[in-house]
Amino acid sequence: MTNTEFDYGTLTDYLTNDASFLFLTGAGISAESGIDTFRGKDGLWEQFDPAEVATPEAFSRNPEKVWSFYQMRREQVREVEPGLSHETLAELEERFPPVNILTQNVDNLHERAGHQSLRHVHGNIMSDRCSGCGALYEVSRSQDLVTCDECGELLRPDVVWFGEALDPQILDTCRKWLNGCDVLGVIGTSLEVAPVSRFPDLARQNGSYLFEVNPRPVLFDSGSDWEKVFVGPADQFFKNWKNHIEGKQV
Ligand code: OAD
């Protein structure tokens, strides 16, 4: 018994009672727009070894290879559009603020859908940063390596690689939002990567109402927690929830 029993009513009640919503999103929310997820069949990490393309050591060893991997991924992001999930979240933010998002995604689909209150926990692929002095740059389209105007070191994508720490200011916002949210929606993430993997527990300890949307849920047991887990694609979930909200004419 799943999905047909999902409790849209409780979520909608929270919305209309000025609750504070937080969404933790992962690659699954952009999958239907055409961006590859990382894990599982056809996942990016099945095609590329992260140790070869997503670590500081890889960049020191072979910067050309890492740069070309990110130029390829940037092209993919430019070619796709935000989907129904990104758009619905932006609409919900406009109508029922606050609707904050912590995304592990480095794409820009939430902001292109118009979402305002958002933090990129793993950085932003559509920006460059100097690997030496940290100066930020607009994203380069060059297939060749680019150097910093200030210090001459190589530019790299402004993302968090394996083995690197998260931005402390963003971590502060994560803690603040996780402590302060009434509802946490965990959408399209395998929760394989720390510290994000611990975020749902932080919100749970704070008494937040948790729910999950994923064709292969990781947080809830789809057999017994059916009212809090939607087993399926994110766009279908948001379509259903929108219909529920409109049906109630809230
Ligand atoms: P993963 O690729 O690990 O997981 C994607 C999740 O999305 C899986 O649980 C899928 O079942 C689910 N999924 C697939 N299609 C979906 C859909 N249409 N709707 C909803 N869910 C769907 O991606 P993340 O959990 O985002 O980090 O990965 C976390 C981090 O690992 C990434 O930010 C990246 C990666 O290594 C860094 O690069 C530092």
Side-chain angles (χ1 to χ4, degrees):
M1 185 157 47
T2 55
N3 292 352
T4 50
E5 304 299 326
F6 184 88
D7 187 1
Y8 298 101
T10 296
L11 288 191
T12 307
D13 287 347
Y14 272 113
L15 263 189
T16 52
N17 284 304
D18 295 329
S20 166
F21 272 72
L22 176 61
F23 288 86
L24 175 59
T25 67
I29 202 165
S30 296
E32 290 163 274
S33 290
I35 296 188
D36 296 332
T37 60
F38 294 96
R39 297 175 180 81
K41 193 175 153 290
D42 301 330
L44 206 55
W45 295 155
E46 293 298 314
Q47 304 163 51
F48 298 89
D49 179 355
E52 296 291 318
V53 291
T55 66
E57 294 78 16
F59 190 65
S60 301
R61 258 191 331 263
N62 193 343
E64 288 85 2
K65 183 173 181 179
V66 174
W67 185 253
S68 95
F69 170 72
Y70 280 94
Q71 293 309 63
M72 178 271 292
R73 288 182 60 199
R74 286 165 164 171
E75 207 41 50
Q76 194 182 37
V77 172
R78 287 188 192 100
E79 280 167 7
V80 304
E81 298 295 331
L84 188 119
S85 304
H86 307 98
E87 281 162 4
T88 306
L89 281 170
E91 282 167 31
L92 291 178
E93 179 186 35
E94 207 176 317
R95 288 184 64 193
F96 306 101
V99 176
N100 300 317
I101 295 179
L102 294 175
T103 188
Q104 296 165 90
N105 298 345
V106 293
D107 68 49
N108 56 9
L109 296 183
H110 283 304
E111 45 273 61
R112 275 165 59 194
H115 213 103
Q116 307 281 329
S117 186
L118 161 79
R119 294 291 183 280
H120 282 276
V121 181
H122 291 162
N124 174 5
I125 202 174
M126 297 315 255
S127 170
D128 282 322
R129 168 159 53 92
C130 173
S131 59
C133 69
L136 288 174
Y137 284 82
E138 267 184 34
V139 64
S140 166
R141 284 179 181 255
S142 165
Q143 291 305 318
D144 299 325
L145 292 168
V146 182
T147 52
C148 176
D149 296 336
E150 309 288 326
C151 72
E153 291 293 327
L154 290 177
L155 299 194
R156 53 164 283 180
D158 186 23
V159 299
V160 178
W161 282 329
F162 287 97
E164 292 186 318
L166 303 195
D167 178 319
Q169 277 185 342
I170 291 186
L171 259 183
D172 276 351
T173 306
C174 294
R175 283 192 206 99
K176 195 173 99 197
W177 285 356
L178 288 160
N179 281 331
C181 66
D182 299 305
V183 181
L184 174 68
V186 179
I187 319 284
T189 172
S190 63
L191 290 175
E192 289 266 346
V193 175
V196 173
S197 50
R198 295 192 287 272
F199 286 2
D201 275 344
L202 294 180
R204 192 182 263 136
Q205 283 158 19
N206 167 56
S208 310
Y209 181 85
L210 258 59
F211 72 97
E212 180 177 21
V213 175
N214 198 316
R216 285 176 295 282
V218 287
L219 204 53
F220 288 110
D221 173 2
S222 55
S224 51
D225 296 319
W226 41 264
E227 79 285 14
K228 290 182 180 171
V229 58
F230 182 91
V231 185
D235 282 4
Q236 186 62 54
F237 165 77
F238 281 105
K239 188 170 169 219
N240 294 359
W241 189 17
K242 248 177 108 160
N243 286 342
H244 185 271
I245 294 169
E246 279 158 21
K248 290 194 80 180
Q249 297 185 325
V250 292

